[in-house]
Amino acid sequence: MMSCKVNLAGSLERCSGDMELLNQVVDETLQKVKSDQLPQIKQALIDGDMHAAHFATHSIKGASATIGFDSLSHAAKALDDLVRVGTQEGAEPLLENLETALDGSLEYWEQHDASFKEALERVGDDMELLTQIAQEMATDLLPEQLTSLEEAIAEASAANVDQCSDEIMEAGVTIGAARLIKMIGMLKESTSGGSVTEESRNMVEKIKEECADVCAFWAVAGVDE
């Protein structure tokens, strides 16, 4: 899941902030790739039908970009660039990359969906309330917590890093931020020996990027409702 590049904020914005629509579109798109389009590509390569392979890879490229699954879109584009000119040589490793990207996308979405549903259940399935809580956290709490974490890293205080990590972890659980939760767990593991390591510092940079993505996502949630 960590290597899967996803822009859910952009996808949600294209869905006019409608979370239910986002879930439906992402579910349908990923399942279509898995059940229909990827098997079509494999069969087309076996048959030497580059036109059919191009049609399917081009469709995956566009649809996955629309839902914000950039890693999947890029992998599809790489294979599409090859088969659209009628070339099959070199397709096998690109097909493997596409399968890997799809596996990562499905894993990401499964974990995101599970974490989000748990967060929603904790507020009695009240989507409006969850959105309000998450937007308040994304505007004020998360940035403050992130600043404290950066200060703890700068001080090389493993104890303070651990305390800040716990606070961000709690916020992540509250708003169903699966990838952020996982990153915080990795940060805590990196300081479990009682010291701040280079791995810890690198992980904080990734956490900063993920927090920005989380904040961007909630900023557009429910914008047209």
Side-chain angles (χ1 to χ4, degrees):
M1 184 176 79
M2 296 293 289
S3 61
C4 179
K5 186 177 180 182
V6 179
N7 178 15
L8 274 191
S11 181
L12 182 59
E13 188 170 16
R14 284 187 285 275
C15 291
S16 300
D18 188 329
M19 206 77 70
E20 185 175 345
L21 178 59
L22 171 70
N23 293 340
Q24 178 184 340
V25 171
V26 173
D27 278 337
E28 291 178 354
T29 300
L30 293 181
Q31 287 307 313
K32 184 175 182 180
V33 175
K34 177 183 178 181
S35 301
D36 298 334
Q37 293 168 317
L38 188 59
Q40 288 169 5
I41 294 170
K42 291 180 177 180
Q43 189 60 51
L45 292 176
I46 291 172
D47 297 340
D49 187 346
M50 296 301 99
H51 177 74
H54 164 55
F55 182 82
T57 53
H58 188 76
S59 296
I60 294 173
K61 179 183 71 173
S64 54
T66 298
I67 62 171
F69 280 69
D70 297 336
S71 295
L72 182 58
S73 182
H74 294 161
K77 181 183 184 302
L79 181 54
D80 185 44
D81 286 346
L82 182 73
V83 298
R84 68 185 174 86
V85 295
T87 303
Q88 186 168 354
E89 184 177 355
E92 185 174 345
L94 296 179
L95 176 60
E96 291 176 357
N97 289 342
L98 179 58
E99 290 184 280
T100 299
L102 176 59
D103 288 343
S105 298
L106 289 167
E107 180 186 8
Y108 169 90
W109 185 246
E110 180 181 345
Q111 293 183 13
H112 167 85
D113 188 50
S115 184
F116 188 85
K117 286 178 179 176
E118 289 173 4
L120 187 58
E121 185 177 350
R122 278 190 288 272
V123 293
D125 292 324
D126 188 333
M127 188 65 238
E128 184 176 350
L129 177 58
L130 177 59
T131 300
Q132 180 183 346
I133 292 171
Q135 288 178 336
E136 290 175 357
M137 283 187 163
T139 301
D140 299 317
L141 185 61
L142 265 179
E144 291 175 4
Q145 291 175 331
L146 191 58
T147 297
S148 297
L149 177 60
E150 290 180 284
E151 291 173 352
I153 284 287
E155 296 165 356
S157 170
N160 288 347
V161 168
D162 195 55
Q163 179 180 346
C164 292
S165 297
D166 286 340
E167 293 172 354
I168 297 176
M169 176 82 79
E170 184 178 351
V173 169
T174 299
I175 62 178
R179 178 176 275 181
L180 178 59
I181 294 168
K182 185 170 185 177
M183 286 181 173
I184 290 296
M186 294 173 68
L187 174 60
K188 289 173 65 66
E189 184 176 344
S190 74
T191 59
S192 60
S195 60
V196 173
T197 65
E198 189 63 27
E199 180 185 356
S200 308
R201 296 184 177 89
N202 291 338
M203 184 53 60
V204 168
E205 291 304 310
K206 294 179 181 179
I207 288 170
K208 287 167 61 178
E209 293 177 5
E210 183 61 22
C211 281
D213 288 345
V214 169
C215 292
F217 175 82
W218 284 108
V220 297
V223 291
D224 278 5
E225 293 180 0

